[in-house]
Amino acid sequence: MKKQIITLALLLLTGAGAAQAQDCCQGSEKKECCQKAAIENIMTRTSIRKFKQQAVEAEKVETMLRAAMAAPTAVNKQPWHFVVVTDKQVLSELAGQGGRGNMLRNAPLAIVVCGDMSKAMQGKGQEYWIQDTSAATENLLLAAHALGLGAVWTGAYPMDDRYTHIQKVLGMPETVVPLNICIIGYPDEQPTPKDKWKPENVSYNKFGAK
């Protein structure tokens, strides 16, 4: 099943494989296989915090970025910017202090997901950049998992000390705000995905109605 997930996800996430993925899902049995693989990829994704010292291939980085940019975005503003970091010195500088320090220092790759305020909506709608970049981040994480990689979302915004440190290290203007750092690599651990299904968190038609 894991091999099927990776193969199907690669087809679905890459522009070159779009037509082939569509062919894959023709017919009831094949369509069901694609559906199961997609859901399985979502349900088995979990945060990975230990990585092998193995570089992530450039084509996989691009696939993850393509997946991120396929996310929904309010009024199609696409107010995001992604900084790909592979330089060990920069990774170490990003680490700074705190719990994610060792993860960044030992990982081969980080992708900093940012909101670009020059591309965002104006007025109250500007805050939609948070939703847009969050959706992009989840796409990125799912793509990483489908590609056999591990990843963890580490928050930056709205913690001033975190996102301003990232801005400084990466030479960002104030109009580009880091939402998070996704730390990525080949997994060196196999944690069991958590079952987060809780029926009590669901209402039907009106709040609190079962």
Side-chain angles (χ1 to χ4, degrees):
M1 176 59 78
K2 179 66 175 177
K3 186 176 181 180
Q4 287 178 315
I5 293 171
I6 294 172
T7 301
L8 290 169
L10 280 169
L11 292 173
L12 292 166
L13 292 172
T14 57
Q20 190 176 351
Q22 187 174 8
D23 291 340
C24 161
C25 292
Q26 296 300 316
S28 59
E29 290 186 5
K30 290 184 178 179
K31 186 175 182 180
E32 184 179 356
C33 175
C34 288
Q35 291 171 342
K36 286 182 177 179
I39 297 298
E40 183 76 7
N41 190 56
I42 294 170
M43 302 302 288
T44 58
R45 189 215 63 80
T46 190
S47 295
I48 300 295
R49 295 174 173 83
K50 294 181 180 179
F51 307 96
K52 296 178 181 178
Q53 293 303 304
Q54 177 182 350
V56 177
E57 297 85 344
E59 59 269 24
K60 290 190 176 183
V61 174
E62 182 173 328
T63 296
M64 288 185 285
L65 293 170
R66 284 178 176 271
M69 294 186 201
T73 164
V75 201
N76 196 32
K77 284 293 187 179
Q78 304 176 39
W80 42 54
H81 190 90
F82 305 87
V83 181
V84 179
V85 183
T86 57
D87 185 283
K88 284 292 185 182
Q89 179 61 38
V90 180
L91 287 169
S92 181
E93 290 175 10
L94 282 175
Q97 304 296 321
R100 68 183 173 194
N102 287 334
M103 287 190 289
L104 274 166
R105 292 186 186 93
N106 296 325
L109 168 69
I111 297 179
V112 185
V113 182
C114 308
D116 186 341
M117 299 305 108
S118 69
K119 300 176 184 177
M121 295 175 65
Q122 299 302 306
K124 289 185 178 181
Q126 186 181 63
E127 293 301 302
Y128 283 141
W129 77 266
I130 300 171
Q131 298 179 39
D132 293 350
T133 51
S134 293
T137 302
E138 181 66 6
N139 274 16
L140 191 155
L141 295 176
L142 289 171
H145 181 47
L147 293 166
L149 300 167
V152 60
W153 174 333
T154 63
Y157 184 86
M159 305 299 287
D160 292 3
D161 57 333
R162 290 191 177 191
Y163 77 80
T164 56
H165 173 72
I166 297 167
Q167 287 175 321
K168 182 178 179 180
V169 170
L170 298 180
M172 294 177 175
E174 291 185 359
T175 53
V176 176
V177 183
L179 179 77
N180 61 60
I181 299 177
C182 289
I183 307 172
I184 305 166
Y186 283 93
D188 199 23
E189 61 175 348
Q190 297 295 328
T192 302
K194 298 179 179 67
D195 183 357
K196 301 176 184 177
W197 168 245
K198 293 181 179 179
E200 63 269 26
N201 289 338
V202 182
S203 299
Y204 293 89
N205 298 314
K206 291 187 178 180
F207 182 80
K210 302 300 182 182

